[in-house]
Amino acid sequence: TGLSLRRSRTLREEYLYYAQRYPNIYIRTALTYKTEVLPQINEDRKYLIGIVFLFICLVMMLVYITRKLTKPIVTFNAFIDAVKSPQKDFSNIKFGKDEFGDVGRKIVSTFEQLEQTKNYKQQMTQNIAHELKTPVTGIKAYLETIQHDDKMPREQMLYFIDKAYSQTIRLSSLIGNVSTLNKIEEATDKFNLEEVNFASCLKDINDEIGYKIASNKIVLNTYVNPDYSIKGNYFLIYYLLKNLIDNSIEHCGPNITIDLSCSKTEETDGKTVYSFVYCDNGKGVPPENLPRIFERFYRVEKGRTRKNGGSGLGLAIVKNAILFHKGNITVENRPEGGLMFKFTLQNLQNEYEKQKESLNSNNNQKEP
């Protein structure tokens, strides 16, 4: 075969000559370079450039996809390293704005909640152990004194027994408060809803702790319409109001006045909300301690200590009981002295009807 690009002497134009030898013949052809060969070369060059461009785009796309796929893996590796570290600091982990990022943020959020729950339970266990230690130690000391002193006078023995009994009451109260708080936080569906009349509830509270109110010469003024009722849990509302009054009795001392008022509001969405104002004229709380008084086992120093007999859970139960009824609570010091609590309780009508329907359905299924 032969190939040659040359100018034709006869036609005076540039041609591309091509020849190939066969057994008996030679075949030769010629194409005009400018009109036939060069346009084809240019066309082929365009195709080649297009192919190169597409290849480059494909490579760039593969690089982009690879980075998109490997970035979450790198981020999750950083998350795992943070989990294994003692600090468990996730602030430097940056997830993308895609689906992988959403999943990663949810995982981090869930893990942080689990860590908070773990820390809370550890702190709760330590606090409970610390609180149980005092009454248990007291009971043990009183009983050991009685056990090892055979000649103890009866009056002194009765005195120690009375002291041990008072510690058992405190121990029982602590266990009951812890159980109530755990039930509110972890098993809200276990509380039955019913019609709760506020005036009737206050009467029951007065029947239980009226002797403490009278012995401390406390004036309790209640301004609550006898017809005000709410769909809610009687036990929690009872505990809520009783703990507020107990809190004033234990920490404000005798000869104080307690005022409790209630007003009713109909919201635009048809929900009924009851607004309460509870205040006493005691010594109040230092402003720096106010934000923490609803924390579990928190006590204000200099006056609100373990000597008062409180468990440090009363106001935590108050707050959780209010949250159960979809309300909120605030507290402030009164200018004239004492504390003022403002809180709301929402009528749980829809939840009450759903619970009633569920009970009726379960009862129907049990019938033969």
Side-chain angles (χ1 to χ4, degrees):
T1 59
L3 184 68
S4 176
L5 178 64
R6 63 181 176 81
R7 185 179 180 81
S8 172
R9 289 190 298 270
T10 56
L11 299 176
R12 301 182 183 280
E13 192 172 352
E14 212 169 17
Y15 277 80
L16 176 64
Y17 295 94
Y18 176 80
Q20 183 169 349
R21 177 182 178 183
Y22 290 92
N24 299 317
I25 58 172
Y26 291 93
I27 296 178
R28 191 193 73 164
T29 183
L31 296 172
T32 307
Y33 182 72
K34 288 184 179 180
T35 59
E36 295 182 79
V37 178
L38 189 58
Q40 187 65 38
I41 292 175
N42 290 335
E43 190 70 23
D44 291 343
R45 188 178 298 168
K46 289 180 182 179
Y47 281 117
L48 182 61
I49 293 173
I51 292 172
V52 172
F53 177 76
L54 289 176
F55 179 76
I56 293 173
C57 291
L58 180 61
V59 171
M60 293 176 64
M61 187 178 298
L62 288 174
V63 172
Y64 174 78
I65 293 174
T66 303
R67 288 184 177 179
K68 290 284 286 185
L69 292 175
T70 56
K71 186 177 180 181
I73 297 174
V74 174
T75 309
F76 280 117
N77 281 332
F79 169 72
I80 294 172
D81 293 337
V83 170
K84 292 180 179 179
S85 67
Q87 295 79 14
K88 291 181 172 51
D89 182 14
F90 308 110
S91 58
N92 295 325
I93 300 177
K94 305 297 182 183
F95 288 98
K97 297 181 179 180
D98 52 8
E99 291 79 3
F100 290 110
D102 293 338
V103 173
R105 281 185 288 272
K106 289 178 181 178
I107 292 175
V108 171
S109 176
T110 303
F111 186 83
E112 288 177 337
Q113 290 177 2
L114 291 174
E115 282 294 306
Q116 291 175 358
T117 303
K118 178 182 175 182
N119 294 334
Y120 161 70
K121 288 184 177 180
Q122 289 177 346
Q123 184 181 7
M124 187 82 166
T125 302
Q126 293 172 357
N127 287 332
I128 292 173
H130 184 66
E131 292 294 331
L132 292 175
K133 183 179 179 181
T134 302
V136 169
T137 302
I139 294 171
K140 180 181 178 183
Y142 290 130
L143 295 180
E144 283 181 348
T145 303
I146 296 172
Q147 182 181 18
H148 296 298
D149 190 351
D150 298 333
K151 299 179 180 179
M152 179 182 294
R154 178 176 174 79
E155 291 77 11
Q156 188 175 6
M157 182 184 298
L158 292 175
Y159 172 78
F160 283 142
I161 292 175
D162 182 66
K163 287 291 186 181
Y165 177 70
S166 66
Q167 292 296 331
T168 62
I169 293 177
R170 178 183 169 190
L171 188 61
S172 176
S173 175
L174 175 62
I175 294 172
N177 286 339
V178 171
S179 176
T180 299
L181 193 58
N182 286 338
K183 188 176 179 182
I184 296 174
E185 293 181 342
E186 299 180 5
T188 54
D189 57 326
K190 302 299 181 182
F191 287 99
N192 292 326
L193 301 179
E194 57 188 311
E195 185 84 20
V196 182
N197 181 269
F198 296 126
S200 177
C201 187
L202 287 168
K203 181 181 180 302
D204 293 340
I205 293 172
N206 187 68
D207 291 341
E208 180 180 349
I209 62 173
Y211 72 96
K212 289 199 293 185
I213 297 173
S215 62
N216 286 277
K217 297 180 181 179
I218 294 174
V219 178
L220 176 60
N221 299 316
T222 57
Y223 307 97
V224 180
N225 190 318
D227 297 329
Y228 282 175
S229 296
I230 189 175
K231 295 293 191 304
N233 181 263
Y234 174 84
F235 172 78
L236 292 181
I237 294 176
Y238 181 92
Y239 243 81
L240 154 65
L241 299 174
K242 177 179 175 293
N243 281 357
L244 285 175
I245 298 172
D246 275 335
N247 186 69
S248 296
I249 294 174
E250 291 173 0
H251 304 302
C252 297
N255 302 308
I256 64 168
T257 300
I258 299 174
D259 294 319
L260 175 65
S261 61
C262 175
S263 60
K264 181 179 179 180
T265 305
E266 296 290 344
E267 300 289 339
T268 55
D269 56 0
K271 296 179 180 178
T272 304
V273 177
Y274 293 90
S275 301
F276 292 81
V277 177
Y278 175 94
C279 57
D280 60 48
N281 59 349
K283 54 192 172 183
V285 171
E288 63 272 16
N289 298 116
L290 276 178
R292 300 190 61 189
I293 66 173
F294 294 109
E295 294 180 12
R296 304 161 190 85
F297 297 105
Y298 182 77
R299 292 185 179 87
V300 180
E301 301 294 334
K302 299 179 182 179
R304 298 195 174 210
T305 63
R306 199 171 281 104
K307 295 179 181 179
N308 297 95
S311 65
L313 293 174
L315 291 180
I317 293 175
V318 166
K319 182 176 180 179
N320 280 274
I322 290 171
L323 292 176
F324 175 86
H325 290 88
K326 299 183 179 180
N328 56 73
I329 184 169
T330 60
V331 61
E332 60 188 66
N333 282 309
R334 302 173 67 199
E336 61 271 30
L339 286 176
M340 176 183 291
F341 294 88
K342 295 180 180 179
F343 60 94
T344 59
L345 299 176
Q346 187 180 121
N347 187 41
L348 304 180
Q349 182 67 40
N350 294 335
E351 291 79 1
Y352 170 78
E353 293 176 356
K354 290 179 181 178
Q355 190 178 88
K356 190 175 180 180
E357 290 177 1
S358 177
L359 290 173
N360 292 334
S361 176
N362 291 336
N363 290 334
N364 292 333
Q365 290 178 0
K366 292 178 181 180
E367 291 181 1

